[in-house]
Amino acid sequence: MKLSVCLLLVTLALCCYQANAEFCPALVSELLDFFFISEPLFKLSLAKFDAPPEAVAAKLGVKRCTDQMSLQKRSLIAEVLVKILKKCSV
């Protein structure tokens, strides 16, 4: 539950900040990839951001945690995040 709240708050901060009226399509893709693709594929998708190895390792650590959640729970969280993104882009 705590992880879901953190993800929700980060998404709200990124999407609904007043100076950024539109969200980046890469954000949506990255969020959905985070919940639904395998770790090796997700690591490849992170390569496009050219993040430091420590950041990638930290992100993969969180992904390992969320991968332990049932697919149904991950789907619900992703659905809420997409709704937030849609609402922020209006």
Side-chain angles (χ1 to χ4, degrees), residues 40-90:
L41 288 175
F42 185 66
K43 188 174 182 179
L44 287 175
S45 79
L46 288 177
K48 65 185 168 202
F49 297 111
D50 197 28
E54 309 84 43
V56 172
K59 185 84 172 186
L60 291 174
V62 175
K63 177 158 179 47
R64 281 185 212 106
C65 181
T66 58
D67 284 350
Q68 294 176 11
M69 298 167 61
S70 70
L71 182 59
Q72 182 182 14
K73 288 183 180 180
R74 287 184 280 161
S75 296
L76 287 172
I77 293 170
E79 185 180 316
V80 169
L81 292 174
V82 169
K83 284 181 183 179
I84 291 169
L85 289 172
K86 286 180 181 178
K87 196 163 200 138
C88 291
S89 67
V90 173

Side-chain angles (χ1 to χ4, degrees), residues 29-48:
S29 174
E30 196 271 335
L31 279 173
L32 294 177
D33 286 353
F34 180 79
F35 286 108
F36 300 113
I37 66 173
S38 67
E39 185 178 325
L41 288 175
F42 185 66
K43 188 174 182 179
L44 287 175
S45 79
L46 288 177
K48 65 185 168 202

